[in-house]
Amino acid sequence: EQGASIPVGGKAVITPKSVNFGNVKVGTAKIKRVKITNKGKGPLAGEVQLPSGGFELVSGGGPFLLQPKQKLD
């Protein structure tokens, strides 16, 4: 059976460090952006997922592979 190769050497920097939606009225939406940057010397692999509970991912979800200095936002 073949094994998977997992890239190493990446360093994820996520900005902002936290997201506060404040009070959002039912039936309305508030959009916040989050950026993931690879500040490491090698590739960075990961997956963008949502916690449960009334959130929706507008774009950029799923698995990703960032080379050094690449960003996902």
Side-chain angles (χ1 to χ4, degrees):
E1 183 175 303
Q2 290 269 323
S5 174
I6 300 173
V8 295
K11 179 181 179 186
V13 176
I14 302 170
T15 53
K17 293 188 183 291
S18 65
V19 179
N20 184 345
F21 289 90
N23 294 324
V24 181
K25 292 183 181 182
V26 173
T28 65
K30 189 178 277 190
I31 296 175
K32 297 284 187 169
R33 292 181 175 263
V34 175
K35 178 169 57 175
I36 302 170
T37 305
N38 181 1
K39 299 275 185 161
K41 294 182 180 180
L44 172 69
E47 185 171 359
V48 176
Q49 296 180 342
L50 288 175
S52 60
F55 294 96
E56 179 180 340
L57 189 60
V58 177
S59 67
F64 65 85
L65 177 63
L66 297 176
Q67 297 303 320
K69 300 182 183 175
Q70 275 190 318
K71 52 184 124 172
L72 174 67
D73 58 346

